[in-house]
Amino acid sequence: MRIAVIDLGTNTCNLLVAEMSNKDFKILHQSKQLVKLGDDKIRDNEISPAATERTIDSFRMHKNIIKEFNVDAVRVIATSAVRSADNKVEYLEKLGEESGWLVKVVKGEKEAELIFEGVLLAFKKLETTAVILDIGGGSNELILAKDQDLLWKESQPTGMARIINQFELSDPIQKNEIAILEKYFAEQHVNTIIRCKEQEVKMLVGCSGAFDTIADMIDGVEPGEKQRTTQEIKLNDFYTIYNKLITSTREERIKMKGMDHVRLDLIVPAVILIETLVKTIGIKKIVQTDFALREGVLYELMHKN
């Protein structure tokens, strides 16, 4: 069976095409389109007309790719920006009319579960207690897990598109602004931090997004050039990238090897969030994975019988 999974996020609309057989799978295609649902209207909990048009365009492009693979089913999942939008009903109706697809809006708790299941596809099981982090444009999901068990989960509307709209950040970011963001992230994710300290968590699993960019910069490869199921990001390497990014201007980031242009504005607050958690929890090891929500949808389809 061939399945297409579309993850309509706050910043990008991501497509995964995979073939499933006997609880096994093979990824056939991955791509993304920039939709920027988190443009300046996100402050008003609205999806702008321009963002709606960008979504429709992205659906058309994805539909052309899906046709080439002769898929049996399409699943479309929408996350933070859509679930918090006051005009989501009109937005979803327009998407349905234009595409013929039913867009399912998932709650933050369900999004965290799907991310955890995507991580299970990559790791099979987590040998040690770990905190899983998925940094989104609209929300961040944090999941505490061990073996194949989900121990704790939270979804907070602290995604990077919301951050850059909420806080006035300089170019390059200033030390006092970094301190403000660190304090904000620590307060917003205090429950996860407390639980991680209680469980003496030392490993952070970073899902896709900003972690892909960090790994690409470390490896010196272009975005999307290297597919990774799991890859360790050594703390020294992370801090090298962290220091490079927090002292950089937007113009300098454009020229950096491995920098995904989708993340030019989002990557700086993202690494500040990661560093805050590493420092506050006492993380000793970071492992990056390409697997997240879309792969979680695959996991559920493979295990539903």
Side-chain angles (χ1 to χ4, degrees):
M1 179 182 180
R2 286 190 174 186
I3 181 92
V5 181
I6 295 172
D7 163 19
L8 177 54
T10 303
N11 204 44
T12 56
C13 183
N14 308 286
L15 171 65
L16 172 75
V17 181
E19 197 164 66
M20 300 186 304
S21 175
N22 298 323
K23 295 197 177 177
D24 198 8
F25 71 100
K26 180 183 180 184
I27 294 173
L28 305 176
H29 172 87
Q30 293 185 85
S31 60
K32 66 185 173 188
Q33 300 293 332
L34 185 64
V35 288
K36 286 187 78 173
L37 303 188
D39 57 20
D40 55 3
K41 294 300 286 181
I42 200 169
R43 296 181 198 180
D44 306 318
N45 283 328
E46 277 188 30
I47 297 169
S48 69
T52 302
E53 288 306 314
R54 287 192 292 270
T55 312
I56 290 167
D57 287 343
S58 76
F59 275 23
R60 287 191 189 117
M61 292 178 192
H62 287 330
K63 189 168 259 191
N64 289 334
I65 294 166
I66 288 167
K67 280 179 185 173
E68 292 174 18
F69 284 96
N70 297 313
V71 304
D72 301 294
V74 179
R75 297 283 186 275
V76 189
I77 303 288
T79 55
S80 178
V82 180
R83 67 175 170 254
S84 65
D86 293 334
N87 62 336
K88 65 173 169 276
V89 173
E90 300 93 319
Y91 173 74
L92 292 169
E93 282 178 353
K94 187 153 190 181
L95 293 188
E97 287 167 8
E98 293 286 342
S99 67
W101 291 332
L102 174 68
V103 181
K104 183 178 180 182
V105 183
V106 293
K107 293 180 179 178
E109 297 278 295
K110 180 62 177 177
E111 185 176 355
E113 287 174 22
L114 287 168
I115 290 162
F116 168 66
E117 288 168 344
V119 167
L120 277 187
L121 272 192
F123 284 82
K124 309 308 178 198
K125 71 174 184 175
L126 293 158
E127 301 291 346
T128 183
T129 308
V131 58
I132 300 164
L133 170 61
D134 188 296
I135 303 174
S139 64
N140 298 320
E141 279 66 45
L142 288 113
I143 302 123
L144 203 57
K146 186 179 181 184
D147 296 326
Q148 294 183 310
D149 298 323
L150 190 158
L151 307 175
W152 156 262
K153 62 181 183 292
E154 74 165 353
S155 176
Q156 295 286 353
T158 50
M160 298 307 115
R162 296 190 195 277
I163 295 299
I164 63 172
N165 275 287
Q166 183 178 340
F167 294 89
E168 295 279 343
L169 301 177
S170 305
D171 184 31
I173 195 167
Q174 300 301 298
K175 283 186 179 178
N176 66 306
E177 295 165 350
I178 293 171
I180 288 167
L181 288 185
E182 287 176 338
K183 183 173 182 289
Y184 177 78
F185 288 136
E187 287 172 351
Q188 295 300 310
H189 296 294
V190 65
N191 289 328
T192 295
I193 291 167
I194 289 168
R195 280 166 173 77
C196 286
K197 286 182 173 179
E198 288 172 352
Q199 298 277 342
E200 298 183 345
V201 172
K202 301 299 178 191
M203 185 166 92
L204 170 65
V205 175
C207 296
S208 58
F211 290 96
D212 291 352
T213 298
I214 294 165
D216 286 339
M217 290 179 72
I218 291 168
D219 292 346
V221 297
E222 295 300 337
E225 183 182 326
K226 184 176 180 181
Q227 303 300 313
R228 307 173 184 89
T229 304
T230 64
Q231 178 171 311
E232 183 175 355
I233 295 174
K234 295 191 181 301
L235 282 183
N236 285 345
D237 291 336
F238 166 72
Y239 273 102
T240 299
I241 299 300
Y242 170 82
N243 288 315
K244 185 176 183 179
L245 289 170
I246 64 167
T247 55
S248 68
T249 64
R250 191 177 194 276
E251 280 300 308
E252 288 168 339
R253 291 195 292 278
I254 289 171
K255 298 169 188 170
M256 289 179 184
K257 181 88 170 178
M259 176 57 63
D260 189 336
H261 286 200
V262 164
R263 264 176 217 103
L264 279 172
D265 300 309
L266 310 177
I267 192 66
V268 172
V271 295
I272 292 168
L273 167 61
I274 296 165
E275 200 274 338
T276 301
L277 294 174
V278 166
K279 180 173 59 183
T280 310
I281 294 169
I283 295 296
K284 302 297 182 191
K285 181 178 183 180
I286 302 174
V287 182
Q288 176 267 353
T289 177
D290 286 354
F291 287 39
L293 187 145
R294 286 167 294 163
E295 290 77 13
V297 175
L298 278 187
Y299 181 94
E300 289 208 338
L301 289 168
M302 287 161 55
H303 293 81
K304 70 179 181 180
N305 296 324

